[in-house]
Amino acid sequence: MGETRDVLESEIGARAVGTAVIDEREVPVAFANSEADVVRLLTLAASRNWRVTPIGSGTKIDRGVPREKPRFAISLRGYSGVTAYERGDGTLTARAGSTMAALAQVARSGGNHLTPDVARAAHATLGGTIASGISGIDRLRYGPLRNHVLGLRVALGDGSVVKSGGKLVKNVTGFDLHRLYTGSRGSLCVILEASLRLFNLPEREIALQTVFFGRAAALASARVVLASQVKPTCVAITGALDSAWTLSIALAGRADVLVWEEGLVRDAIGTFDRFEGELARAKIEELRDREAEASVHAACLPGGLESALARVDEISAHDDHAPHMFIHPGIASLAVEATEPTLPAHAAALTAARARVELAHASVSTRGAFDPLAGVAPPVRRLMTDVTRALDPVRRFAGPRAMGAV
Amino acid sequence: MDDATLVDYAKTLDCIHCGLCLNACPTYKLTGAEPSSPRGRVHLMRSVAEGTLQPDSEFAEEMDFCLLCRACESACPSGVQFGVLMEHTRAGLQTERRGSFFARAARWIGFRVILPSRFALRLVAFVGRSAQRTGLTRFVSRFGFARALRDAPTIPPSAKRALLQPMTPARGEPRGVVGVLQGCMMPELFGRVNRATVAVLAEAGFESRVPSAHVCCGSLHAHNGDREGARFLAQKTIVCFEDIVDASGHPSPIVVNSAGCGAHMKDYAHLFDADDPWHERAHRFAERVVDFSEFVALPRTRAALERRLRDRPSRAQAVRVTWDDPCHLCHAQKIRSEPRALLDLLPGIERVEMRDSEGCCGSAGIYSLLRPDDAAAVLEPKLQELSDTRAAILVTGNPGCQLQWSAGVKRAGLNVRVAHIAELLDEALQHGPIDPADRNA
Amino acid sequence: MEPKIADGLRAIVGDRGLTTNATRRATYESDGLAHVRQVPDLVLMPRDTRETAAALRFLKEWNVPIVPRGAGTGLSGGATPVAGGVLISTARMRDVIEVDSVNRFARVQAGVVNVDLTHACADHGLFYAPDPSSQKACTIGGNVAENSGGPHCFKYGSTTQHVLGLVFVTIDGEIIDLAEPCVDPLGLDLVGVFVGSEGLLGIATEVTVRLLPVPPVVETLLAIFDDLDSACDSVTDMIAARLEMSAIEILDKHTIDAIEASVLAAGYPQNAQAVLLLECEGSDVEVAAALRDIEPILARHGAYDIRRARAADERARLWAGRKGAYGAMGRIAPDLYVTDAVVPRTRLRELVRATTDICEKRGLKVANVFHAGDGNLHPNICYDRRDKDELARVLDAGDEIMRVCLAAGGSLTGEHGVGLEKIEGMEWLFSHDDLAAMCRVREAFDPKRRMNPGKLLPMRACMETRSAVRPNEPRNG
């Protein structure tokens, strides 16, 4: 550790070197402020055969399978800024270290909405968000993150800087390597710059909340709303077994359409508390940020949601503790604030219900004991490994095992 | 004939290889094979014309495999005249083809002796009927070469094979005179359809004239590569119908109740070179040709029928019927809405659409005789579509389709009546409610 | 080709699954890119994943190139055979395996025709969104290979956004089963990189696609313009105003004339210089709101007539005309060359005009019909392939169009793929390193580069990668 730090300091200066805790280990962090810095650090790592990992602000650093141990981390937090905002074309290109909140603000100033609307947006970086592959709270309306990444510029382990895709909303030129990099969690490359597709900034935003006694009733109402012609940005129910459940519905769009949509929601669920503008946003952000702190995140098919919930309930019954849950019936995802000892049981139960599970904010040993790819067929796993090797033949990047970097 | 003239080269150039025809083609759907698709066949023709390909037996096989349903023409945005191209190529192949003596002889007898002669047709029907009654066909069909006989239609008794009268007067106030094509095989197999046709025309106020000297329009000849025979019969047909005129001396419409014949007669001009005087004569003739449903669905005629059908007794429970578009009606003559509009006039029926109703049933003239297995395979998915409609009656407008469907329905064990649209209209006018069972059966 | 190969394959796929006859093989010599031709040595038509895998395992030892083919409607030569190679057609894999209306997905074999998929889920009130103009014939497997688009991709996105899972077979005959529908995969997004890989990474045999509910209201508008420039400008304004429509298409005069002369005549006004075909979908309230915004923009740019197609059949005719436009152009020329460039939507007028000028300068007739809402241009250049000089001028014009669009920040292809047609352009758009990364991923799937060689990735780039990667190999501690 000391030696690494010395080398980094002599390479890029003491002020650009810090420390981060990654997967319970202290790791020196080199702050890159330019593309050249990233390339220089990668070249340095190559010359010493050190393993590195890219990080942003670290908002999602303890989510998912732990990484292999890196010698140092390259933080791109200092490499920020919008490089191209094509207002008329609805696209935005920015450096990886830009925070999602800053980018959303730029987009908003031009009348655009930036998706994904992610947790802790004031810190979460563009690069980190894309590398994690996690979609935002607005996914129901706008679709998953990976659909909006139009192109990426990345540095590979050998220090070469390459791009795929572009800045255009429609483009099929070349392999979509940016799809591969999205969600690869630092195991393939350092994301340097990304182009995103933007959406129309809603004229108005409202949030509607109502309380139900019992999850079944809340779910049933949520489903009525989802089956109607309303196009919410988010429909979530939150609560714990044997307690009150809150149904939150976020609506956004043209003022005249919203009036009508709100009427439809009223027809579906009766009365509700209503929040508008800043207040509405605050309500949804509260939900979004708390959900991100949950320890179990799972996604399944809509038809499988009930059985996934039943399995979580079984664990609660055993454990005599009903954890707080976040359920998005429209996109069939859920998050559970499960206690650390129950995490293996949750992971196993949800996997058995054919959900895709990710553990977060738990110890390395707990997260490391769960292999989300355990059920993946050997040829598939082998191919993931081959792809990782192809792009990073010397394993410059310390990736999570789940990426196929066995 | 050399390879260059085997194919109508200029017409192959219309194809830009976009492939939109593929899924419309029954033989492509059956095999998934490019050479068995319209685009593939045009490509083969073009390659032969350009000299990069020999017209070998595989080439001939693909040309024969085609049903000539012309569904590809309805799908083709470039306007490739596939029917004309295929007839031309088949004619070319026919002159080149050696084939066995037996096959050539059978062909010659069929096209040149039987079809053009009323006497020969009647004789064949008589012999056929006798053979069917004595069980001889069942015995012979055990042998490979005569397998097609097994599925051959039952020939009705002689009383039902009567020819139409040369003249059938209109009922009520006369509104005009029409010529009616009674056809070559129609009287032998579907005399009832012919009688229904003139009966409906009479109810609608039209006097029907049937030229007794006329036998065959020649469409089977053209489709199967006997252009010379087709030309001869076309000339004969034109002459036979030329003196059928109305009271004021105007040439009368010629009503055809067989979609295949009608499509061919409308296309007669193609048989003659542009500088041949027959070309112009054929063109004038073609303008008089109308399909039965096309004619009866004309506003005034339809209104007359509607008046007559309005107060016919209906039935409590509607009978479900579905219309199967004969290829040579929908693709060749672009007639789609008329028969549906007529069916909707019938009391006590519920008309439902059948999925892929414009897909070929596999009859395709004498295709079902020449290639019974392929024809049955083409019909197979359509039998499922028919069964999905839960219709009690399948209605068509072409005798070949009627035969093919009847055989298929029987094979599949479906309880569906197969009827010609003229039969149903006649039945409604005579009796009122449509019977889900065939009164004539 | 070695007769033993045919014998071995016949044992796997049966007689009907193998074409050896030269006449029959000749019909496979090109796809929609008709001027490039090569007869394949064998044509294989497996029925399912298992047969495909068995055939590829068998072919491994013979070391021959493999070219996959769907319906052969592609316009970039993605399915053009390779000399000495085996063409594998998915045309006999046509089963819809499953339609799950609760979870809104369908699993189909790769050879299912795009429009048949939508028919298969119509009874559930669902549809499959990507609608390439060739949708009546093209296959889902082909759509996956090319990441196909279509007019409604303006709203719904290209094929990649609708593929939830895949089963594909690698060159070595390994079955990669990723059929389980999911949006965010566990591990690397192999499905994401496979979609649009133009047959270089394997042969898709089964596809799991997302289905969407049929919108309750669909409104189609036809806006009629006196000149093409104004039509383009109105689109630029509509995009800038971020109006939510499902399709924005432009058809110019030549295109309208061709459509109206064809079986697809749809009532496009023949006195117009350009028309805009617009569609709004959603609830009646949303649609009405969108229309309120659209009409003033159209009027401002001089649309002198705006027609609404209310009846379903009228709408169907307009779309059939639009989608058959390429074929209908066959009436004004024996051959057509369709370019497929994407440009920023802020510069539509300028670039449409530039492409037209490029063609006219070379004495070529060009018709424009394109997905204006996505900035996806399709100049259709008319020619006669028998006229070698004209063909040369067409290809030259195609090159210049690509360069002009790239210079304006555009891209080589929006939906037709690179294939053979634009392979040179790859080096204009991508650096050596960019291409090397793609080649490396390709080699993870296919180390010997036997799948669809010579397409998409310039051979040179791949050869250099191999020599460049070698010295770097593991020296891991």
Side-chain angles (χ1 to χ4, degrees), chain B residues 1 21 29 43 54-56 79 93 136 140 142 194 219 237 255 283 300-301 315 330 350 352 390 401 404 411 419:
Chain B
M1 184 178 282
C21 54
K29 282 199 278 193
H43 189 95
Q54 286 301 308
D56 58 3
L93 283 172
L136 184 66
V140 175
R142 286 199 217 142
N194 275 348
S219 78
T237 306
V255 176
H283 201 73
R300 283 185 55 204
T301 317
R315 50 193 305 137
C330 66
E350 179 199 1
V352 290
R390 289 180 289 118
C401 305
Q404 170 80 349
R411 206 166 49 231

Coordinates of all heavy atoms in Angstrom, one line a residue, chain B residues 1 21 29 43 54-56 79 93 136 140 142 194 219 237 255 283 300-301 315 330 350 352 390 401 404 411 419:
Chain B
M1 N -36.4 -23.7 -79.5 CA -36.4 -22.4 -78.8 C -35.1 -22.3 -78.0 O -34.7 -23.3 -77.3 CB -37.6 -22.4 -77.8 CG -37.7 -21.1 -77.1 SD -39.1 -21.0 -76.0 CE -40.4 -20.7 -77.2
C21 N -42.3 -10.5 -51.7 CA -43.2 -11.6 -52.1 C -43.1 -12.9 -51.4 O -44.0 -13.7 -51.4 CB -42.9 -11.9 -53.6 SG -41.2 -12.3 -53.9
K29 N -43.7 -20.8 -48.4 CA -44.1 -21.1 -47.0 C -44.0 -22.5 -46.6 O -43.7 -22.9 -45.5 CB -45.5 -20.6 -46.8 CG -45.6 -19.1 -46.6 CD -46.9 -18.6 -46.0 CE -48.0 -18.5 -47.0 NZ -49.1 -17.8 -46.5
H43 N -35.4 -14.9 -60.4 CA -34.0 -14.9 -60.4 C -33.5 -16.0 -61.4 O -32.6 -15.8 -62.2 CB -33.4 -15.1 -59.0 CG -31.9 -14.9 -58.9 ND1 -31.4 -13.7 -58.5 CD2 -30.9 -15.7 -59.1 CE1 -30.1 -13.8 -58.5 NE2 -29.8 -15.1 -58.9
Q54 N -28.1 -22.9 -67.0 CA -28.8 -23.8 -67.9 C -30.2 -24.1 -67.4 O -30.3 -24.4 -66.2 CB -28.0 -25.1 -68.0 CG -26.7 -25.0 -68.8 CD -26.9 -24.5 -70.2 OE1 -27.7 -25.0 -70.9 NE2 -26.2 -23.4 -70.6
P55 N -31.2 -24.1 -68.3 CA -32.5 -24.5 -67.8 C -32.6 -26.0 -67.6 O -33.2 -26.7 -68.5 CB -33.4 -24.0 -68.9 CG -32.6 -24.0 -70.1 CD -31.2 -23.7 -69.7
D56 N -32.0 -26.5 -66.6 CA -32.0 -28.0 -66.4 C -33.3 -28.5 -65.7 O -34.2 -27.8 -65.6 CB -30.7 -28.3 -65.5 CG -30.8 -27.6 -64.2 OD1 -31.8 -26.9 -63.9 OD2 -29.8 -27.7 -63.4
G79 N -44.5 -4.3 -59.3 CA -45.3 -4.7 -60.4 C -44.8 -5.7 -61.3 O -45.0 -5.6 -62.5
L93 N -40.6 -24.2 -71.8 CA -40.2 -25.5 -71.3 C -40.9 -26.6 -72.0 O -40.3 -27.7 -72.3 CB -40.4 -25.6 -69.8 CG -39.4 -24.8 -68.9 CD1 -39.9 -24.8 -67.5 CD2 -38.0 -25.4 -69.0
L136 N -64.2 -49.7 -59.5 CA -63.0 -49.8 -60.3 C -61.9 -48.8 -59.9 O -60.8 -49.2 -59.8 CB -63.4 -49.7 -61.8 CG -62.2 -50.0 -62.7 CD1 -61.8 -51.4 -62.7 CD2 -62.7 -49.6 -64.2
V140 N -58.0 -49.4 -59.0 CA -56.9 -48.9 -59.8 C -56.0 -47.9 -58.9 O -54.8 -47.9 -59.1 CB -57.4 -48.2 -61.0 CG1 -56.3 -47.5 -61.8 CG2 -58.2 -49.1 -61.9
R142 N -54.9 -48.1 -56.2 CA -53.9 -48.7 -55.4 C -52.6 -48.6 -56.0 O -51.5 -48.7 -55.4 CB -54.3 -50.2 -55.1 CG -55.4 -50.3 -54.1 CD -55.4 -51.7 -53.6 NE -56.8 -52.1 -53.4 CZ -57.2 -53.4 -53.6 NH1 -56.3 -54.3 -54.0 NH2 -58.4 -53.7 -53.4
N194 N -73.8 -24.1 -62.2 CA -74.2 -23.5 -63.4 C -75.7 -23.1 -63.4 O -76.1 -22.0 -63.8 CB -73.9 -24.3 -64.7 CG -72.5 -24.2 -65.1 OD1 -71.8 -23.2 -64.7 ND2 -72.1 -25.0 -66.0
S219 N -57.8 -21.8 -70.3 CA -56.9 -21.3 -69.2 C -56.0 -22.4 -68.8 O -54.8 -22.1 -68.5 CB -57.8 -20.8 -68.1 OG -58.3 -21.8 -67.3
T237 N -63.4 -19.0 -78.4 CA -64.3 -18.4 -77.4 C -64.7 -17.0 -77.8 O -65.9 -16.7 -77.7 CB -63.5 -18.3 -76.0 OG1 -63.0 -19.6 -75.7 CG2 -64.4 -17.8 -74.9
V255 N -70.7 -13.4 -68.2 CA -70.6 -13.7 -66.8 C -69.9 -15.1 -66.7 O -70.3 -16.0 -67.3 CB -72.0 -13.8 -66.2 CG1 -71.9 -14.2 -64.7 CG2 -72.7 -12.4 -66.3
H283 N -58.7 -7.9 -76.7 CA -58.8 -6.8 -75.7 C -60.3 -6.4 -75.6 O -60.7 -6.2 -74.4 CB -57.9 -5.7 -76.2 CG -57.5 -4.7 -75.2 ND1 -56.6 -5.0 -74.2 CD2 -58.0 -3.5 -74.9 CE1 -56.5 -4.0 -73.4 NE2 -57.4 -3.1 -73.8
R300 N -77.1 -1.8 -59.0 CA -78.6 -2.0 -59.3 C -78.9 -3.5 -59.2 O -80.0 -3.8 -58.7 CB -78.9 -1.5 -60.7 CG -79.0 0.0 -60.7 CD -79.4 0.6 -62.1 NE -80.7 0.0 -62.5 CZ -81.0 -0.1 -63.8 NH1 -80.2 0.3 -64.8 NH2 -82.2 -0.6 -64.2
T301 N -78.0 -4.3 -59.6 CA -78.3 -5.8 -59.5 C -78.4 -6.2 -58.0 O -79.3 -6.9 -57.6 CB -77.2 -6.6 -60.2 OG1 -76.8 -5.9 -61.4 CG2 -77.6 -8.0 -60.4
R315 N -83.4 -17.5 -40.1 CA -83.5 -18.6 -39.1 C -83.0 -18.1 -37.8 O -82.3 -17.0 -37.7 CB -82.6 -19.8 -39.5 CG -81.2 -19.4 -40.0 CD -80.5 -20.5 -40.7 NE -80.5 -21.7 -39.8 CZ -80.7 -22.9 -40.3 NH1 -81.0 -23.1 -41.6 NH2 -80.7 -23.9 -39.5
C330 N -59.0 -12.8 -56.3 CA -58.4 -11.7 -55.5 C -57.1 -11.2 -56.1 O -56.9 -10.0 -56.2 CB -58.2 -12.1 -54.1 SG -57.1 -13.4 -53.7
E350 N -74.0 -15.5 -40.5 CA -73.0 -14.6 -39.9 C -71.7 -14.9 -40.6 O -71.2 -16.0 -40.7 CB -72.9 -15.0 -38.4 CG -71.8 -14.2 -37.7 CD -71.3 -14.9 -36.4 OE1 -71.8 -16.0 -36.1 OE2 -70.5 -14.3 -35.7
V352 N -67.8 -14.6 -41.2 CA -66.6 -14.4 -40.4 C -65.4 -14.5 -41.4 O -65.5 -15.1 -42.5 CB -66.4 -15.5 -39.3 CG1 -67.4 -15.3 -38.2 CG2 -66.4 -16.9 -39.9
R390 N -64.6 -21.8 -37.1 CA -65.8 -22.5 -36.7 C -67.0 -22.2 -37.6 O -68.1 -22.1 -37.2 CB -66.2 -22.1 -35.2 CG -65.2 -22.8 -34.2 CD -65.5 -22.4 -32.8 NE -65.3 -21.0 -32.5 CZ -66.2 -20.2 -32.1 NH1 -67.5 -20.6 -32.0 NH2 -65.9 -18.9 -31.9
C401 N -61.2 -24.8 -56.6 CA -61.1 -24.6 -55.2 C -62.2 -25.4 -54.5 O -61.9 -26.0 -53.4 CB -61.3 -23.1 -54.8 SG -60.2 -22.0 -55.7
Q404 N -61.0 -29.0 -54.4 CA -59.9 -29.1 -53.5 C -60.3 -29.0 -52.0 O -59.9 -29.8 -51.2 CB -58.9 -28.0 -53.8 CG -57.7 -27.9 -52.8 CD -56.6 -28.9 -53.0 OE1 -56.8 -29.9 -53.7 NE2 -55.5 -28.8 -52.3
R411 N -61.1 -35.2 -45.9 CA -59.9 -35.9 -45.4 C -59.7 -35.5 -43.9 O -59.4 -36.3 -43.1 CB -58.7 -35.4 -46.2 CG -57.6 -36.4 -46.2 CD -56.6 -36.0 -47.3 NE -56.2 -34.6 -47.3 CZ -56.3 -33.8 -48.4 NH1 -56.7 -34.3 -49.5 NH2 -55.9 -32.6 -48.3
A419 N -69.4 -24.5 -50.6 CA -70.4 -24.1 -51.6 C -69.8 -23.0 -52.5 O -68.9 -22.3 -52.1 CB -71.6 -23.7 -50.9

